[in-house]
Amino acid sequence: MGATGSKLEKALGDQFPEGERYFGLENFGNTCYCNSVLQALYFCVPFREQLIEYYTDNKNLADAEENLLTCLADLFMQISSSKKKTGVIAPKRFVQRLKKQNEIFRSYMHQDAHEFLNYLLNELVDILEKEARAAKAEAETSSPTEKMSNGPTSMHANGAQKEPLVTWVHKNFQGILTNETRCLRCETVTARDETFLDLSLDIEQNSSITSCLKNFSSTETLNAEDKFFCDKCCSLQEAQKRMKIKKPPHILVIHLKRFKYIEQLGRYKKLSYRVVFPLELKLSNTVEDADAEYSLFAVVVHVGSGPNHGHYVSLVKSHNHWLFFDDENVEMIEESAVQTFFGSAQEYSSNTDHGYILFYERTAAAGRS
């Protein structure tokens, strides 16, 4: 274990980034799905900084109960404040808490990294929202004079009470999609917005993220049994529907749908398709912020030929170096090695290491952080 760490320190030499830590994570029996996602999140710098800030602001709360957020903050704090630059840490408390809270992750079976990421981000949001509501209620009860002077209805006057809370998790990962439906009879466009924390994209053989995003936003015609009820026509009509990214997030998480249910087989199959993901990505089909530009900083890779077994590792870009995290092991890799994880151009290939979840950060030039 120590050998890996010292080897990495030797490889980086005096280029070892000031204040950075590169730690492997111990595997507790098929917890690679968790380790690979945690490494990607740790190197999502704005998220890490806000999580550590949360930890320092809340560590003195005597009555703070343990939850996934406190366990994650504790783990990130342990890594970032370590005296050693490299090594191995056991995320034991976090994994125990995860299993205690959600029976899906309780077994020793192979779990899905995307399912875990989704669950974790939503859970963090729930905890932060609950805390914000409790703090607001406490502030209101502790200052009755202020409440009276503002008038009891002031809270509802502009509907602020019903506004959804925007946590720092939202500020990093949340984007807005708009679902547009155009009635082909009266040409009226109905738009419905919905938020997302990650985008799940269908994939095709020998494609790219750009083409997958184009397909995601392609126009679909609703006819026959799928007709759309147009409020203006007051009847079912043929219509055209499309999904567009209205507001791109600061951190864009893209999940490639590599596991597909095959009717004839009656089970899921892994699609090993070659999908090129660029180091720099331009989102062109957005409503606001045309041509938002992103830089790839982490990839969660699924290793294996099927959906119910295999392994997860992650590739991470930190201070212009690419690193490979495989549970306890951490090593440097060349940037050119990233393309070996695009997938296989042939159906049956010996290479089973395929990019599964991609993490892109908005570049300062194009975005408002």
Side-chain angles (χ1 to χ4, degrees):
M1 281 182 185
T4 312
S6 53
K7 199 169 140 191
L8 183 64
E9 283 180 57
K10 270 199 193 96
L12 278 161
D14 55 7
Q15 282 191 301
F16 202 104
E18 183 66 39
E20 195 53 272
R21 299 286 176 267
Y22 299 127
F23 274 74
L25 295 172
E26 203 177 306
N27 188 324
F28 294 102
N30 265 351
T31 55
C32 56
Y33 69 92
C34 174
N35 289 348
S36 57
V37 168
L38 291 180
Q39 294 290 12
L41 289 176
Y42 185 81
F43 290 97
C44 175
V45 178
F47 175 79
R48 183 210 309 182
E49 286 173 350
Q50 282 156 331
L51 184 61
I52 288 171
E53 190 183 314
Y54 170 85
Y55 177 90
T56 41
D57 289 349
N58 294 281
K59 66 176 178 191
N60 300 327
L61 296 177
D63 58 350
E65 58 171 304
E66 183 187 277
N67 56 39
L68 270 185
L69 178 57
T70 60
C71 291
L72 184 65
D74 204 40
L75 175 66
F76 278 22
M77 195 65 194
Q78 233 182 312
I79 298 171
S80 67
S81 60
S82 169
K83 284 188 171 64
K84 286 191 195 159
K85 289 179 178 180
T86 58
V88 177
I89 273 184
K92 197 171 185 178
R93 262 184 70 206
F94 180 83
V95 172
Q96 280 174 339
R97 184 76 222 176
L98 175 70
K99 291 185 174 188
K100 189 177 174 182
Q101 240 172 276
N102 192 327
E103 60 187 39
I104 291 174
F105 304 110
R106 225 165 276 169
S107 74
Y108 283 95
M109 281 170 63
H110 181 71
Q111 303 291 348
D112 187 288
H114 175 248
E115 208 171 302
F116 163 65
L117 172 67
N118 221 300
Y119 173 72
L120 178 60
L121 291 181
N122 281 298
E123 190 60 28
L124 299 186
V125 162
D126 284 352
I127 296 164
L128 290 170
E129 285 180 341
K130 219 172 273 176
E131 286 179 3
R133 278 196 295 270
K136 192 177 176 192
E138 200 179 322
E140 278 158 11
T141 50
S142 62
S143 54
T145 49
E146 196 183 315
K147 201 167 162 188
M148 286 306 289
S149 61
N150 286 344
T153 54
S154 64
M155 281 162 56
H156 301 274
N158 58 2
Q161 175 76 350
K162 295 186 183 78
E163 280 285 299
L165 286 158
V166 178
T167 67
W168 46 265
V169 176
H170 289 124
K171 283 178 185 166
N172 280 307
F173 296 99
Q174 185 172 274
I176 299 171
L177 291 171
T178 188
N179 200 334
E180 289 181 353
T181 311
R182 178 190 298 275
C183 171
L184 292 179
R185 183 176 171 220
C186 69
E187 295 287 315
T188 302
V189 176
T190 310
R192 196 182 78 245
D193 287 356
E194 54 190 80
T195 59
F196 67 92
L197 294 175
D198 66 42
L199 285 182
S200 286
L201 301 182
D202 286 308
I203 60 171
E204 288 173 355
Q205 179 56 290
N206 289 318
S207 60
S208 67
I209 291 299
T210 311
S211 65
C212 293
L213 282 163
K214 271 203 180 83
N215 288 346
F216 179 79
S217 292
S218 63
T219 304
E220 175 194 350
T221 302
L222 305 175
N223 52 22
E225 272 129 56
D226 293 328
K227 280 184 182 173
F228 165 75
F229 186 86
C230 174
D231 288 338
K232 197 170 178 186
C233 301
C234 293
S235 58
L236 289 168
Q237 294 295 337
E238 289 197 356
Q240 281 184 334
K241 181 182 160 189
R242 64 176 298 198
M243 188 79 96
K244 287 200 305 207
I245 297 169
K246 183 177 178 178
K247 187 174 184 293
H250 181 65
I251 304 293
L252 176 65
V253 180
I254 294 175
H255 160 235
L256 302 180
K257 289 156 99 170
R258 286 204 177 271
F259 303 115
K260 188 178 183 181
Y261 188 76
I262 310 293
E263 286 286 343
Q264 300 93 307
L265 301 173
R267 60 177 169 83
Y268 280 90
K269 177 186 182 226
K270 182 179 176 186
L271 306 176
S272 58
Y273 298 164
R274 186 172 189 272
V275 182
V276 174
F277 44 88
L279 298 174
E280 307 298 326
L281 175 71
K282 193 178 267 191
L283 279 191
S284 51
N285 55 349
T286 59
V287 180
E288 297 172 15
D289 307 337
D291 293 341
E293 288 176 27
Y294 287 87
S295 191
L296 183 73
F297 70 88
V299 182
V300 170
V301 172
H302 180 269
V303 181
S305 54
N308 303 316
H309 51 84
H311 184 52
Y312 285 103
V313 296
S314 46
L315 319 173
V316 159
K317 187 182 186 181
S318 169
H319 303 269
N320 293 320
H321 299 286
W322 278 92
L323 297 129
F324 177 80
F325 288 85
D326 179 356
D327 289 331
E328 291 91 344
N329 301 312
V330 187
E331 56 189 77
M332 276 185 76
I333 57 166
E334 291 296 323
E335 187 173 82
S336 57
V338 174
Q339 64 196 32
T340 62
F341 298 93
F342 288 166
S344 320
Q346 288 88 28
E347 170 89 35
Y348 299 103
S349 160
S350 56
N351 173 16
T352 64
D353 307 7
H354 309 125
Y356 182 46
I357 311 170
L358 314 172
F359 292 76
Y360 283 93
E361 183 173 6
R362 189 94 180 252
T363 51
R368 303 166 304 222
S369 53

